[in-house]
Amino acid sequence: MLEINKCKDYQEMSDAVADKVEKQLLKKSEYCLSDNTWCDDSRFILPTGSTPIGLYKELVNRDLDWSDAITYNLDEYLDNTIHEQSYFHFMNENLFKHINIDEDNIWFPYDIAVWPDKEYGENVDLCLLGIGSNGHIAFNEPGSSFESKTRVVDLTEQTIQDNSRFFPSIDDVPTKAITMGLKPIMSSKKIILMANGKHKKDILHKALYGEITEDVPASILQTHTNVGVFYCD
Ligand code: F6R
């Protein structure tokens, strides 16, 4: 089921999604207080990109307790020469170094080898997503199987073009990445999709109301039971 929320601007969108993250962080600790027996952690899937920057800023300002949180990032470039543009660097600068998360609880898809018999980032409490201008989620590009698992992928020309704004030139953009698959993303208990800007309007409409097809990877979200969409122009 999709619950669609149009926000008046980027700040309102970031605040609204920060409320959901805060609620999830508190939910687990309240549960722990009322039930002395066993305490589960709050498990999140997190995106990078320009869309969540305001959200991470808001979360840092709220000074929340992340000590029991576990995070799985959606994707990472496969190129260890690009430290400043790596998604690990992005997450560290925008979120991790400002909060009290245990660094042993921060995971990236290249850590997949740690769990040979378990899917990376499966069954998390809350998965946050952005959407690419071609309808990708994480780096599941158009044509990715709805059954896809975490794996190495080639980025499309469109994504390389979109991401070149973060690099000195388009030739510096890595062409390969490791991405969480659509299957583990869909195993999340709750998913929030964020989209910011007029240039995302058409693809968002296609993903939410169009045909459910592997040509528009985000359209798979129509089949999930608990998705919140927060968008602004
Ligand atoms: C990044 C990711 C990507 C982005 C998407 C939108 O971790 O998973 O799918 O969410 O490319 O990027 P922005 O937010 O820069 O428009």
Side-chain angles (χ1 to χ4, degrees), residues 132-136 141 155-164:
S133 59
N134 60 7
H136 75 212
E141 300 283 24
L155 302 182
T156 61
E157 282 306 315
Q158 174 76 60
T159 298
I160 292 169
Q161 179 71 47
D162 289 351
N163 291 0
S164 63

Side-chain angles (χ1 to χ4, degrees), residues 18-33:
D19 288 347
K20 301 284 181 194
V21 173
E22 179 169 359
K23 197 168 155 206
Q24 177 56 46
L25 285 166
L26 290 170
K27 194 171 151 194
K28 280 300 162 83
S29 34
E30 275 167 17
Y31 168 73
C32 296
L33 290 175

